[in-house]
Amino acid sequence: MPDKKILFVAPRFHTNQFFLTKQLLDKKVEVNFLSIYIGGSENHKFLKPILSKPSTLVKWLLKKRNSKNAVDRETLSKFHITSFAQCYEIYKKINPDIIIIRNLRPFISIQHFLIGIVLRKKVYLYTQNNYRQKLDFKRKLFYRSLKIFGVKHFTPVLGDSAQPIIPNTIYIPFVVDKMVDKEKVNAKNQYAGIQVMTIGKMQDRKNLRELVDSLIRINFFNSINNKLVIASECIGEQHYNYLLSIKESIKQHESQVEFFLNVNHDKIFKLLETSDLFVLPSHDEPAAFSVLEAMACGVAVVCSNKNGTKCYIQNDVNGYVFKYTKDFAHLDVVLRKILEKNRLVAYGLANLECINQHHTIDSFYRNVIENECL
């Protein structure tokens, strides 16, 4: 089969696309990624995105918007449209066989969706909606209507197994490379203490302060060898104020808490490789990829039931899913139960096996490149 050409269209090159594009390139698939702006945590080691050049009208309307500002970035993401000249260049020179659109809400997604239909390209809609969920009539009609145009929808989020499958949809788990071998995970048994790691922006929804409070309540810091590592994006006054509130909580344990602010993607993996447990305490997470990154590093994982990637965690096999409540009482219960070195190592080894079995490029390649889903 001749090599395929793929064009991804999304507001930015998210870290959850890093390993997917890397493995596609390894398989000699030509990959291009069109994005509106560059995010702070992006890793362009294997693929540099093409920045979409706004149309003249959009450029005039949004000329005072700054992509480094969170509010302005949201506006840019919603209303941006690629210029006619750049569209011509992309579809004439690159001439992709497959177009993968991230959501259909932003104007740029609708624009390239329509171009793909007109040019009779194979178009896929990628979202982080639950594969299994109960839909109202309008949403069922939307997914079914995609089929009229030959468009297939896929998602990496499984959802509730008791619910029906979304029409015209494939479940394709996130793709990630295994980052360590079993020997490195087993070697953690030799080291005293437990290192817990978390990742998240310095904002209320990420619940970093609540994780700190939970660890204090269960007396985690009573063992001098125990340590908490917090990797975070911290930009602007609101973020810094939140950071100060965490530092206030840990005054008595500050020597056991280490902050890594605004670090690059490669550094995150180095921190994960030395950790025993990864906890994602946030809620309202459509599909947090950091859970997969921790699994790829052979680290036990814990997240809330309000995170889409909870579907990759089996309780007491490779980690735990705690029930989110405002008092985080169930997180306390889970942490008390699992914070033991041998158990965490066993979970980490199970995660390496999970990555080997379920998170390779195979499902994506079979369903999208080879079109076996059709």
Side-chain angles (χ1 to χ4, degrees):
M1 190 181 78
D3 291 340
K4 295 283 187 178
K5 298 178 182 178
I6 292 184
L7 174 67
F8 288 89
V9 180
R12 72 178 184 93
F13 183 63
H14 198 279
T15 51
N16 62 35
Q17 303 290 317
F18 174 76
F19 290 103
L20 172 60
T21 54
K22 172 185 175 292
Q23 290 196 31
L24 286 170
L25 291 167
D26 288 343
K27 283 188 170 287
K28 309 303 179 187
V29 176
E30 184 180 322
V31 181
N32 287 278
F33 202 106
L34 183 68
S35 63
I36 299 171
Y37 64 92
I38 303 295
S41 61
E42 293 184 18
N43 188 338
H44 301 156
K45 186 176 181 179
F46 301 102
L47 179 69
K48 186 175 181 180
I50 302 167
L51 277 178
S52 175
K53 298 173 183 175
S55 66
T56 305
L57 177 61
V58 171
K59 192 186 294 183
W60 180 77
L61 289 171
L62 302 178
K63 61 185 177 181
K64 293 185 179 179
R65 301 289 180 174
N66 178 7
S67 63
K68 293 182 179 180
N69 178 283
V71 176
D72 286 353
R73 194 162 56 206
E74 189 173 336
T75 305
L76 286 168
S77 297
K78 186 175 180 180
F79 296 109
H80 183 102
I81 293 176
T82 309
S83 71
F84 175 81
Q86 190 180 31
C87 282
Y88 179 82
E89 183 181 359
I90 288 170
Y91 290 98
K92 182 72 174 176
K93 290 185 178 180
I94 296 174
N95 190 24
D97 304 292
I98 299 167
I99 303 171
I100 298 175
I101 307 289
R102 176 72 174 94
N103 282 332
L104 265 182
R105 293 189 188 94
F107 283 17
I108 189 174
S109 296
I110 297 169
Q111 177 191 23
H112 288 273
F113 175 86
L114 294 173
I115 291 172
I117 298 299
V118 170
L119 296 179
R120 299 191 175 186
K121 305 294 183 180
K122 186 60 200 169
V123 179
Y124 288 87
L125 174 63
Y126 158 59
T127 73
Q128 293 177 354
N129 298 331
N130 288 344
Y131 175 64
R132 288 184 172 273
Q133 61 172 294
K134 192 173 182 179
L135 298 177
D136 58 26
F137 174 76
K138 286 183 179 179
R139 292 187 70 196
K140 279 183 184 177
L141 184 62
F142 167 74
Y143 287 110
R144 288 195 174 116
S145 65
L146 292 174
K147 198 170 184 179
I148 297 171
F149 301 101
V151 177
K152 197 80 178 178
H153 166 239
F154 73 88
T155 174
V157 182
L158 194 55
D160 185 349
S161 59
Q163 297 297 328
I165 295 170
I166 296 179
N168 189 38
T169 298
I170 337 163
Y171 168 63
I172 303 178
F174 275 131
V175 175
V176 66
D177 285 354
K178 189 174 74 170
M179 303 301 289
V180 299
D181 56 28
K182 290 181 178 180
E183 289 71 25
K184 188 157 189 176
V185 178
N186 277 317
K188 292 178 183 178
N189 274 316
Q190 302 170 16
Y191 304 112
I194 291 172
Q195 179 168 302
V196 175
M197 182 174 173
T198 189
I199 297 173
K201 294 178 183 177
M202 289 289 169
Q203 56 185 219
D204 289 338
R205 183 176 65 85
K206 297 301 182 178
N207 301 324
L208 303 181
R209 187 170 52 221
E210 284 73 13
L211 171 59
V212 169
D213 292 342
S214 178
L215 291 170
I216 291 171
R217 285 194 298 271
I218 67 167
N219 299 319
F220 173 76
F221 296 109
N222 284 8
S223 173
I224 195 65
N225 292 314
N226 288 350
K227 182 180 177 182
L228 172 64
V229 170
I230 300 175
S232 178
E233 179 182 299
C234 190
I235 302 169
E237 186 179 356
Q238 286 186 333
H239 285 185
Y240 279 106
N241 287 339
Y242 189 91
L243 173 62
L244 290 174
S245 72
I246 294 178
K247 289 186 173 181
E248 184 66 28
S249 297
I250 58 161
K251 270 187 176 180
Q252 294 181 353
H253 314 286
E254 58 185 358
S255 63
Q256 292 172 265
V257 181
E258 196 166 2
F259 294 92
F260 292 87
L261 304 177
N262 307 320
V263 297
N264 63 37
H265 197 216
D266 289 334
K267 179 64 176 177
I268 294 294
F269 286 110
K270 286 183 171 58
L271 294 170
L272 283 168
E273 287 173 17
T274 61
S275 297
D276 300 290
L277 173 65
F278 176 78
V279 182
L280 188 79
S282 54
H283 64 279
D284 294 337
E285 289 282 1
F289 191 67
S290 54
V291 169
L292 272 292
E293 292 172 330
M295 290 169 64
C297 293
V299 179
V301 285
V302 167
C303 78
S304 80
N305 61 339
K306 300 296 184 181
N307 166 35
T309 46
K310 67 180 183 292
C311 62
Y312 303 141
I313 302 175
Q314 288 183 275
N315 284 342
D316 206 26
V317 175
N318 64 334
Y320 258 92
V321 177
F322 71 90
K323 184 178 179 181
Y324 169 74
T325 55
K326 288 186 178 180
D327 63 2
F328 286 81
H330 193 229
L331 176 59
D332 294 0
V333 172
V334 167
L335 292 177
R336 280 195 185 99
K337 180 175 182 177
I338 70 171
L339 280 173
E340 186 270 318
K341 182 75 82 167
N342 289 335
R343 185 193 289 257
L344 295 177
V345 167
Y347 289 172
L349 292 171
N351 274 324
L352 292 186
E353 189 61 31
C354 182
I355 296 300
N356 281 337
Q357 290 184 7
H358 304 296
H359 298 283
T360 67
I361 192 67
D362 294 349
S363 179
F364 182 93
Y365 198 89
R366 185 172 62 250
N367 287 296
V368 176
I369 307 299
E370 296 178 340
N371 293 333
E372 286 189 13
C373 61
L374 302 179

